[in-house]
Amino acid sequence: MTDVLGWRHKFGVIAPSTNTIVEPDFYAMGVPGVTAHFSRIHIRNQDLSSDEGFENLLVQIRAEIGHACERVLTCEPDFMVMGMSAETFWGGVEGNREFVAQINGITGLQVATGAEACERALHLFGARRIGVVTPYQPVGDENVVRFFSELGFEVVRIKGLRCPTAVSIAHVTEDELRAAILEVDGPDVDAIVQCGTNLSMVRLADEAERWLRKPVIAINAATWWMALRDNGVQDKVYGAGSLLRDH
């Protein structure tokens, strides 16, 4: 029997329990016949006020992610989507590959990650020099720079907002994000990339592409785009940037 609402695909999505942005973002970018089913990684200590706190968040994610995957598998999804991004950048390109292999080993399913989605989008746009906005502490930014640098991209400027808790990432306003975009932009930048799935930037990225006249890649839009396209879903999504609208 085919799922009544997910008659094309059912995506299993893994997100931290503290994240309040990625789930409504994915629903807002929904297309007919594709459904997203969330499983939460229990974050017991959301302090991100230092590099040590940030790394402790990843320790919690690694301890819990297997259980989150097992829970979402009970609804029988056919593809996995990572509704978190820091772990997908950690350890550079090899770290991302190991992470994907881990999820594939647990679930038996293919997976879309924010890091790989951004890589694909940048290649698609022909961008080489990038500006990056994150909610992270310096240690998180270092891993983002490492990932992109290992792929041959040049991170010209990066702005880490250093959000003090996991929940507070969702409190960053459009005005603050707009200022961050402008801070990392310049004539030497081909595209802007935003990391951190709990930053609300899908709508702003769509607008920013018009006034900057260059790609602005919101990680939630890129991850959703990868998931759809890897499953043969070519529907256009409007209001979420040129990636989902035109590619």
Side-chain angles (χ1 to χ4, degrees):
M1 297 294 290
T2 302
D3 191 276
V4 173
L5 295 182
W7 47 269
R8 295 164 86 181
H9 290 286
K10 292 191 296 187
F11 294 161
V13 186
I14 305 300
S17 58
T18 50
N19 192 309
T20 57
I21 299 299
V22 67
E23 188 168 7
D25 269 359
F26 281 2
Y27 292 158
M29 296 183 288
V31 300
V34 178
T35 52
H37 308 281
F38 276 71
S39 185
R40 298 284 181 156
I41 300 168
H42 190 183
I43 303 300
R44 293 175 171 83
N45 179 1
Q46 60 164 303
D47 176 23
L48 301 182
S49 60
S50 64
D51 282 349
E52 293 74 20
F54 193 90
E55 290 185 284
N56 181 56
L57 181 77
L58 297 184
V59 170
Q60 296 175 76
I61 286 172
R62 291 164 189 156
E64 294 282 344
I65 195 166
H67 303 302
C69 287
E70 290 168 359
R71 282 191 292 272
V72 81
L73 283 177
T74 61
C75 76
E76 301 180 0
D78 49 41
F79 190 81
M80 294 296 294
V81 183
M82 290 301 106
M84 58 183 185
S85 64
E87 180 73 346
T88 73
F89 288 102
W90 216 261
V93 172
E94 186 57 33
N96 178 264
R97 289 176 181 155
E98 291 175 358
F99 179 78
V100 169
Q102 176 193 7
I103 302 303
N104 181 256
I106 295 169
T107 65
L109 301 173
Q110 296 303 304
V111 56
T113 71
E116 185 177 350
C118 289
E119 173 194 356
R120 291 190 191 184
L122 289 169
H123 282 305
L124 179 67
F125 288 126
R128 189 183 71 84
R129 296 163 63 84
I130 62 175
V132 181
V133 176
T134 85
Y136 304 150
Q137 294 292 334
V139 67
D141 290 346
E142 289 167 11
N143 278 273
V144 170
V145 171
R146 174 182 174 182
F147 176 82
F148 286 121
S149 298
E150 288 178 355
L151 292 168
F153 300 106
E154 180 182 351
V155 180
V156 178
R157 282 176 290 279
I158 185 166
K159 174 66 174 180
L161 298 173
R162 303 189 182 188
C163 296
T165 68
V167 167
S168 70
I169 296 171
H171 301 168
V172 177
T173 66
E174 280 198 352
D175 283 346
E176 292 171 303
L177 285 173
R178 188 179 297 107
I181 290 171
L182 294 173
E183 185 173 332
V184 302
D185 186 37
D188 53 348
V189 167
D190 302 322
I192 307 293
V193 177
Q194 171 257 317
C195 305
T197 61
N198 207 24
L199 277 180
S200 181
M201 196 161 133
V202 169
R203 182 177 62 180
L204 178 61
D206 181 56
E207 296 174 0
E209 287 188 321
R210 286 187 280 274
W211 33 269
L212 293 180
R213 298 185 179 181
K214 64 183 64 175
V216 179
I217 301 166
I219 199 161
N220 289 347
T223 307
W224 189 247
W225 167 79
M226 177 180 172
L228 292 176
R229 303 305 185 248
D230 274 9
N231 285 280
V233 179
Q234 299 298 322
D235 299 44
K236 294 177 181 290
V237 177
Y238 294 89
S242 59
L243 195 59
L244 278 160
R245 184 182 64 246
D246 301 329
H247 301 282

